[in-house]
Amino acid sequence: RKTLGAVCFFIAKEFIKLINPKLSEQQINQIVQWNLLFAQEYNCDINLALAIQATETHFDWQGKSKKGAISIWQIMPINLKKICKLQGWNYSLINFSSFDSLQKQIEAGYFWLNMLNKQHKNNKEVILCEWHSGTKYLHHSKINKYTIHFDTKNFINKVMENYKSLS
């Protein structure tokens, strides 16, 4: 079991270095350690989680999207507020753009990913569609290659490319 963890740690570390060579060794180690911890705690696929983080922010926890999504996962503040409420965290006390909050950022993403996994029975395409476009989009369209918005298709394809490179 320790060998598996070491292999996973090494693969994740090399993947993050490849995606964002500007990160320090300490930052990469923290990102990997928290991903390993929360992937296990929330029973999520660490490769999918790392692929989402790589696609969304290249592991930059300070990023903010044009639409206002924040954190290493690019989660919308409304969803982060829901996560904080469900987790018993005080949203107003957490700066989701600082390295000091990176542990909470990563845990929040795994919490959300776990909820989506359960809701969509681990269907990666549907999970990624909701991750990128939100629940409103899912309720108004079928999930197939003809109805997913172009940007969302690109997002899903990029995540899956990153996912395959980790598998």
Side-chain angles (χ1 to χ4, degrees):
R1 187 150 196 136
K2 283 185 178 181
T3 306
L4 182 62
V7 169
C8 187
F9 187 91
F10 176 78
I11 292 169
K13 192 172 172 176
E14 292 304 307
F15 177 72
I16 293 169
K17 276 185 196 176
L18 180 69
I19 299 295
N20 189 341
K22 294 178 184 176
L23 294 173
S24 72
E25 194 77 15
Q26 178 191 6
Q27 291 168 330
I28 292 170
N29 287 340
Q30 284 293 188
I31 292 168
V32 174
Q33 288 171 356
W34 287 325
N35 271 281
L36 286 167
L37 173 71
F38 295 123
Q40 185 172 1
E41 185 174 323
Y42 290 96
N43 193 30
C44 292
D45 181 344
I46 189 171
N47 290 344
L48 182 61
L50 291 171
I52 292 169
Q53 293 169 32
T55 304
E56 288 284 24
T57 64
H58 297 91
F59 301 100
D60 178 4
W61 56 87
Q62 298 172 320
K64 185 174 184 177
S65 75
K66 295 174 194 167
K67 294 186 179 184
I70 57 176
S71 90
I72 198 166
W73 298 88
Q74 291 294 281
I75 300 173
M76 292 300 288
I78 192 168
N79 292 330
L80 278 171
K81 287 176 185 173
K82 287 179 195 174
I83 293 165
C84 286
K85 185 175 181 178
L86 291 167
Q87 292 285 73
W89 302 339
N90 186 336
Y91 177 82
S92 62
L93 296 179
I94 302 170
N95 176 357
F96 279 102
S97 297
S98 76
F99 186 73
D100 292 339
S101 75
L102 187 57
Q103 181 177 356
K104 285 280 190 232
Q105 289 184 35
I106 292 173
E107 184 174 4
Y110 275 99
F111 180 83
W112 193 248
L113 186 58
N114 177 270
M115 286 177 53
L116 294 176
N117 280 335
K118 289 176 184 175
Q119 184 179 352
H120 301 300
K121 297 177 176 71
N122 293 314
N123 181 324
K124 287 181 185 65
E125 186 177 55
V126 177
I127 290 165
L128 293 172
C129 184
E130 182 165 346
W131 189 282
H132 189 259
S133 300
T135 54
K136 182 179 177 186
Y137 181 82
L138 279 179
H139 295 302
H140 297 334
S141 70
K142 285 187 168 187
I143 303 300
N144 66 46
K145 61 184 176 186
Y146 303 109
T147 60
I148 298 174
H149 189 272
F150 180 75
D151 288 344
T152 301
K153 278 187 205 176
N154 282 342
F155 171 77
I156 292 169
N157 289 338
K158 287 178 187 172
V159 171
M160 293 313 295
E161 282 176 31
N162 282 325
Y163 181 77
K164 288 173 186 163
S165 74
L166 282 159
S167 299

